[in-house]
Amino acid sequence: MAILEKIIEWDQELLLLINGSHSAWLDRFMWLFSESLIWLPALLVFVVVLFKNKKGQAFLILLTFALLIFFTDQISSGVIKPLVARFRPTHDPMIENLVNVVNNYRGGDYGFISSHAANVFAFAGLSLLLFRNGLYSLTILFWAAVVSYSRIYLGVHFPLDVLCGAIFGFLSSVGFFYLYKVIIQNSTAIRLISDRRPKEMTSSNYKKRDLYNLLLILLFVVVTMLIASFKLAW
C-alpha cells in the first residue's frame, strides 16, 4: 500500500507540474491538438492512401480500424473507467482546486484509463504495422504522444491514466493486426519483408510517396493550429 500511495503521490505531482505550465497560446494549441475533428483532413488522405494502394483490401482494412477504435474506446470508457473509478484531476477532491482548466472543460468523473490515449495509440500502432515505414512510424507515434500529453496539460487525465491508456491501445493494435492477417485475410498474411519490392515501395506494398504526402498533410494541420494559437484570441 505504501508503494501504491507513493505512485499516486508522484502521479499527482507530475500532473500539477505539467498542468501548471500554462500560457494563452499553448492553451489554445493543446485544446486544438486534443480535438478529434481537427484531424479530419489527415484522416481523409489516410483513406485515399488505403484505396490507392490496397484497392480491394481497403474496406477490410478500414473495418479493422473501426473495430479496433470501437474496442479500445468502449473497453476504456465503458469497462475500465467505472471499474477502477479513479477520479480525473478535475474531479479529484484532493487537487481539483489546484488544476488549471481550459475553456471550463473538466470531462467526466473518471479518468483511468485515458480513452484518448488508448484510441490514438491504437490507430498509430495498427497503421505503422500496416505501412512498415520508419519515418511514418516515428511521426505517428510522436503525434499520438502529443495528443496524449495534451490530455495531461488540459488537466483531465493523470500521467498514469495516459500511460496505461497508451499501452492498452498499442497492445490492442497488435492484436487486431494479427486478427486482420489471420481471420479477415483468411490466413493469406501480409508479407512484411520482401527483397523484391521496388525502392519506392514499403515492404508491405505501400508507395512511400503516398505516406510522405500523408505526413505533409499532418504537418499542415499542425502548422495551421500553431498559427491559429498564436494569431487568434478565443
Side-chain angles (χ1 to χ4, degrees):
M1 289 297 294
I3 296 178
L4 180 59
E5 289 175 359
K6 201 68 178 177
I7 292 174
I8 292 175
E9 181 182 345
W10 167 83
D11 202 25
Q12 291 174 340
E13 290 176 355
L14 184 57
L15 173 277
L16 293 175
L17 177 65
I18 295 172
N19 174 253
S21 57
H22 277 246
S23 63
W25 79 266
L26 196 54
D27 285 357
R28 294 189 285 267
F29 181 70
M30 287 297 175
W31 177 266
L32 290 172
F33 217 100
S34 183
E35 284 292 319
S36 300
L37 288 179
I38 200 76
W39 305 107
L40 186 58
L43 180 60
L44 292 175
V45 175
F46 173 81
V47 172
V48 171
V49 170
L50 289 182
F51 277 95
K52 184 177 179 180
N53 287 269
K54 290 303 179 180
K55 297 179 181 177
Q57 293 182 18
F59 283 109
L60 297 178
I61 296 172
L62 288 175
L63 177 61
T64 305
F65 272 98
L67 291 174
L68 170 61
I69 301 304
F70 179 81
F71 173 80
T72 55
D73 190 68
Q74 291 302 306
I75 295 298
S76 59
S77 294
V79 178
I80 300 177
K81 281 180 181 174
L83 185 64
V84 176
R86 187 191 187 190
F87 285 118
R88 293 178 187 265
T90 47
H91 296 289
D92 189 329
M94 295 182 64
I95 64 168
E96 61 180 330
N97 293 328
L98 302 175
V99 177
N100 295 309
V101 296
V102 177
N103 293 336
N104 203 33
Y105 173 62
R106 296 179 178 275
D109 288 339
Y110 303 132
F112 186 91
I113 55 178
S114 168
S115 299
H116 264 74
N119 293 342
V120 295
F121 270 94
F123 177 87
L126 182 55
S127 63
L128 69 85
L129 287 170
L130 286 170
F131 291 159
R132 296 284 168 168
N133 177 264
L135 179 60
Y136 176 85
S137 297
L138 289 174
T139 304
I140 204 67
L141 285 175
F142 181 73
W143 167 80
V146 177
V147 172
S148 301
Y149 177 86
S150 73
R151 306 302 289 170
I152 305 172
Y153 178 92
L154 295 172
V156 292
H157 282 294
F158 288 104
L160 279 180
D161 299 346
V162 165
L163 177 61
C164 293
I167 293 172
F168 170 68
F170 192 84
L171 290 179
S172 297
S173 75
V174 174
F176 273 76
F177 173 68
Y178 284 102
L179 178 69
Y180 168 70
K181 286 179 59 179
V182 176
I183 299 178
I184 299 182
Q185 288 196 307
N186 296 318
S187 300
T188 56
I190 300 172
R191 293 194 61 183
L192 300 180
I193 300 176
S194 175
D195 296 330
R196 298 180 181 180
R197 301 291 181 220
K199 289 183 179 180
E200 65 271 14
M201 306 291 287
T202 69
S203 59
S204 54
N205 244 0
Y206 288 87
K207 291 181 181 179
K208 293 180 180 178
R209 178 179 295 180
D210 290 338
L211 300 185
Y212 297 155
N213 287 337
L214 173 57
L215 295 182
L216 283 175
I217 295 298
L218 201 65
L219 178 61
F220 172 77
V221 174
V222 173
V223 170
T224 302
M225 285 191 295
L226 277 171
I227 294 172
S229 301
F230 274 110
K231 298 297 185 180
L232 301 179
W234 45 272

